[in-house]
Amino acid sequence: MTDLAARPEDDDRAILDQWYPVAFLASLTASETRVRLLGYDLLVSGDDDGVAVRRADTAALLPARKVHACLWTTLGRPKGDVVEIAEAAEPDRRVVPCGAINVRTSGLRVVENFLDMAHFPFVHTNILGAEPITEVAPYRTEHRVDVDEIWATECRFEQPQAARSSVGGMTTDYAYRVASPFLTLLYKSCPNDPTRPDVICLFVRPVDQERSVAYPVMFLIDENSSQAELAQFQQRIFVQDRIILENQRPARLPLSPKAEIPTRADSVSVAYRRWLKAAGVRYGAIG
């Protein structure tokens, strides 16, 4: 029996009219694999001759895109294509898929956690932060209306090991970009090139309202680390996050301003929640 509550309502266009990752390209086979997106079962296949994504219940063929190391599809009618990442086209960057990670919580919670700097010293101790340096310095948050994205800029944090290639601690500059409800990017100082940032992407597939699959993908400037070392560094960080995420209650993200009390450090989270609420997002959210 189909659980209709696991699917977005037909008028939740801010959720339906988006592109979502359903697999890493490297994992595709000619045989069909069943995946779940927004409460719908899909059949995914791919080989050198092309890719196919179908709804399992109707066999309807869905749009498909191969970009940013992932296969993407949509259940709606997106206004544009999959998010553009200019750095992905730079020939000297390493493209590092970091494995599909299941998380038992709303995909909106996963994105918001990615935006949170305050937890660095306590959850990613001696990697992205360490006591006694726990203060999040003031930063700028804005809604860029022309592209309908949330940005946080002028972020800065002292980090013992900002990247796999870091030797010693450094002050890391950050800029966060939320391009759609379940898609966010981080531009951060690169230890190997002070003129260009590393780019860390978090593409989230909402399985249903309280289950998600995260697809971290990095576009890095690093000639020395192996592909496995780079992926394992990011996986270690995300697994630490998953412990926190799966213990947050409620699992769905509250959008009411009175539901959870923010601090100054949470200004990007506040902007994200307001943006979701203004767009009419209900899937994976409360209030």
Side-chain angles (χ1 to χ4, degrees):
M1 183 175 180
T2 302
D3 180 8
L4 295 178
R7 297 177 174 179
E9 297 179 27
D10 290 342
D11 62 346
D12 199 347
R13 306 314 307 180
I15 296 300
L16 288 167
D17 295 339
Q18 303 289 349
W19 291 99
Y20 294 98
V22 290
F24 280 120
L25 295 176
S27 71
L28 293 175
T29 67
S31 301
E32 289 186 326
T33 301
R34 186 178 292 259
V35 303
R36 197 166 177 83
L37 169 65
L38 298 172
Y40 291 86
D41 286 324
L42 308 181
L43 299 174
V44 176
S45 61
D47 55 25
D48 292 340
D49 294 326
V51 295
V53 183
R54 299 180 183 276
R55 281 183 51 168
D57 56 349
T58 66
L61 192 64
L62 298 176
R65 301 285 189 274
K66 296 194 295 182
V67 65
H68 307 326
C70 294
L71 176 64
W72 302 73
T73 194
T74 180
L75 292 163
R77 299 178 296 277
K79 294 178 181 178
D81 216 325
V82 179
V83 63
E84 182 177 352
I85 304 171
E87 292 79 5
E90 295 175 0
D92 61 337
R93 285 190 183 264
R94 303 277 295 280
V95 182
V96 186
C98 300
I101 303 169
N102 292 280
V103 191
R104 294 190 303 273
T105 196
S106 163
L108 303 177
R109 283 281 196 196
V110 177
V111 169
E112 186 181 65
N113 177 81
F114 187 82
L115 303 174
D116 177 40
M117 290 180 285
H119 76 286
F120 287 173
F122 310 105
V123 178
H124 308 302
T125 308
N126 296 324
I127 306 175
L128 301 185
E131 296 186 79
I133 303 173
T134 61
E135 181 181 7
V136 177
Y139 57 91
R140 294 175 55 86
T141 303
E142 61 181 313
H143 176 203
R144 297 188 179 179
V145 179
D146 58 331
V147 290
D148 195 22
E149 295 181 351
I150 297 297
W151 280 75
T153 57
E154 301 178 19
C155 309
R156 179 168 291 191
F157 214 88
E158 295 291 332
Q159 299 188 319
Q161 188 176 6
R164 172 64 181 79
S165 59
S166 295
V167 179
M170 63 181 286
T171 300
T172 307
D173 293 317
Y174 274 60
Y176 291 96
R177 172 190 177 192
V178 185
S180 71
F182 293 97
L183 192 160
T184 184
L185 304 90
L186 167 63
Y187 303 84
K188 64 182 294 186
S189 302
C190 173
N192 303 306
D193 188 338
T195 66
R196 294 187 294 166
D198 282 334
V199 183
I200 301 174
C201 307
L202 186 65
F203 309 138
V204 179
R205 168 165 57 92
V207 175
D208 55 36
Q209 298 216 59
E210 297 185 1
R211 291 183 300 159
S212 312
V213 179
Y215 297 84
V217 178
M218 304 188 293
F219 299 94
L220 308 179
I221 304 167
D222 185 336
E223 297 179 352
N224 300 315
S225 303
S226 70
Q227 199 81 349
E229 288 171 334
L230 293 169
Q232 288 166 5
F233 180 84
Q234 190 64 24
Q235 287 169 353
R236 178 184 177 190
I237 291 171
F238 198 91
V239 168
Q240 292 171 339
D241 282 324
R242 184 170 64 179
I243 296 169
I244 304 301
L245 283 165
E246 294 189 339
N247 283 283
Q248 284 184 304
R249 295 294 181 272
R252 302 182 196 184
L253 185 68
L255 300 186
S256 169
K258 297 181 180 179
E260 295 176 346
I261 301 174
T263 67
R264 184 185 66 182
D266 299 319
S267 67
V268 65
S269 296
V270 171
Y272 175 57
R273 293 189 187 198
R274 287 176 177 168
W275 180 66
L276 294 172
K277 193 171 184 67
V281 169
R282 299 185 298 280
Y283 193 82
I286 298 174

